[in-house]
Each structure stands twice: as C-alpha cells, then as structure tokens.
Amino acid sequence: MRLLLVEDDSMIGKSLQQGLKQDGYAVDWVRDGQAAKLALQDAEYALMLLDLGLPRVSGRELLAELRRQKNPIPVLIITARDSVTDRVEGLDAGADDYLVKPFSFEELAARIRALLRRPGGAAEPIIGHGALAVQPATHEVLLHGKPVHLSGREYALLEALLRRPGMPLSRAQLEQSVYGWDDEVGSNAVEVHIHSLRRKLGPDWIENVRGVGYRIRKQP
Ligand code: CA
C-alpha cells in the first residue's frame, strides 16, 4: 500500500519513512505543498500524512484545495502546532485525524491502520480468498488458519494481487504498489518476491500470465 508523506523536517521525514517502510508500506516523501500536489496527480495513495507548516503551499491550503476538488484521500495531520484552534482548523479543513509532535511511532502506525480500515479508506478488515486470508490492518496472513510469515514487501505484493482476484497485474503495477520513488528496484525484484511467496504459500496461488504479469488464481 502506498502512502504520501508531506514533511519539510528532514529528521522527522526520514525516520517516518523508514519506520513505515519497515511496516510494509511504500512511502513517497515530499517536502513542500507544491510537490505534494504534483505527487497526488501522479500516483494513487491510500493515505496522506500531512505536516501543516510547509514551504510554498501550506498543509492547510493543500488540504482545503483537495477537499474542494472532492478528493477523498484519508489525511492524517502531523504537526507541532498544539493549540486548540489549530486542531479545529485542521479538522475543519477536512483532515481525518490529527497527531501532535512529538508522538510515538507506534501511535502513528495505529492511527494509520485505523484510518485505512474505515469505510471509504483503502482497506477492508479481512481479504479472504479460498484457504488464504489476509488482514490489512495487521498484515497477518493465514493459510488454512495457520499464520504465514511474510516480509513487508511480500505482504504488499500479495495484498495487491488479492485485491484483484483473477485479474493480471503487470510487473510495473506491482512495483508501484510495493515500492516508493526512493527505493531501488532491482530489475527482477518482483520475480524474486513472487518466488518466495510461492515457496511460502505453495506454488498454485500465483500464476504467470504470459506477456502480461501475474495474478491470483481465481479458484485455488
Ligand atoms: Ca514543518
């Protein structure tokens, strides 16, 4: 799942990006409001983490503009501003939730999962497919009721495929859902993850579609 992080503080941005990547999200990080606008035109994000005090276009202006355009992306504001007025203004401008810096990474991760679980958010409680079930909120994977341990990227790849059962996804589409811009993507990275998914889940779940890409087999 792909997130957009809008934060001009390098230290905070870097540590959030690292932590979220370890949780299995693809994270694109931009440092001002204008760059965020361009990113939003370019890619599909499940959620945006938005600082309010930003160069060029402020977080509040950006958010207000998105909501005027009826863009429904879930937005979690992360900001140092701690006055009640600021909070109310942020929520009034269309934010879904609010965290005041400094906050613990665990709390941020929990709030993100909660937003992604909401109706209209990108994730449903559980995605089931035959004997396979994944829980987007916790990244748990069960096969015949037994947990299977996947890396963050293996999980992201599996979830992307399960969201479109029977439909092939190209290698480029899969890379989009697993990697952010800053990630180095080896030329056979997707193949490597598919290989280890087949090793962990069994060979029959994911099939190659010649000249197109991969899909989850409809009737496993
Ligand atoms: Ca800032």
Side-chain angles (χ1 to χ4, degrees):
M1 206 174 288
R2 199 176 176 111
L3 310 181
L4 181 62
L5 169 62
V6 192
E7 169 63 77
D8 60 326
D9 182 298
S10 306
M11 289 237 306
I12 296 175
K14 197 171 175 192
S15 78
L16 288 181
Q17 188 182 37
Q18 273 174 358
L20 290 167
K21 277 185 185 177
Q22 273 168 19
D23 272 6
Y25 298 104
V27 184
D28 292 336
W29 173 22
V30 294
R31 291 161 180 80
D32 67 67
Q34 188 58 35
K37 277 192 200 178
L38 294 176
L40 287 162
Q41 286 164 12
D42 237 43
E44 281 234 359
Y45 296 99
L47 181 140
M48 174 163 66
L49 291 170
L50 181 65
D51 181 24
L52 287 182
L54 290 170
R56 300 173 82 188
V57 178
S58 80
R60 239 195 114 226
E61 284 171 78
L62 173 66
L63 182 56
E65 185 178 327
L66 285 175
R67 295 316 189 213
R68 271 200 304 278
Q69 295 164 349
K70 309 277 180 232
N71 186 326
I73 183 172
V75 174
L76 174 55
I77 287 181
I78 43 170
T79 184
R81 301 179 187 191
D82 192 18
S83 80
V84 174
T85 322
D86 282 329
R87 282 186 205 219
V88 171
E89 280 185 355
L91 293 169
D92 273 354
D96 297 277
D97 202 357
Y98 204 109
L99 261 182
V100 174
K101 298 170 193 168
F103 48 78
S104 76
F105 183 78
E106 285 67 30
E107 178 168 18
L108 176 73
R111 301 270 188 115
I112 289 174
R113 290 195 298 269
L115 284 178
L116 293 175
R117 272 199 301 270
R118 275 192 197 172
E124 299 78 26
I126 288 180
I127 308 174
H129 189 69
L132 192 60
V134 307
Q135 170 74 268
T138 58
H139 292 188
E140 274 175 301
V141 178
L142 296 175
L143 180 59
H144 296 289
K146 295 209 176 82
V148 182
H149 297 286
L150 302 183
S151 74
R153 284 186 172 145
E154 289 163 7
Y155 174 84
L157 203 67
L158 178 64
E159 190 189 315
L161 288 167
L162 280 172
R163 286 185 181 282
R164 294 193 174 88
M167 271 190 39
L169 292 177
S170 68
R171 199 167 80 179
Q173 286 172 309
L174 290 169
E175 282 175 358
Q176 268 259 337
S177 56
V178 179
Y179 293 98
W181 307 321
D182 301 339
D183 296 319
E184 281 199 22
V185 187
S187 59
N188 63 347
V190 166
E191 283 82 352
V192 170
H193 294 316
I194 295 277
H195 178 80
S196 60
L197 279 171
R198 284 178 172 150
R199 195 165 44 75
K200 292 178 180 180
L201 299 173
D204 298 333
W205 292 93
I206 300 168
E207 46 181 17
N208 293 27
V209 183
R210 229 167 205 283
V212 185
Y214 298 94
R215 72 177 166 206
I216 283 282
R217 191 162 287 175
K218 232 182 178 158
Q219 304 254 285

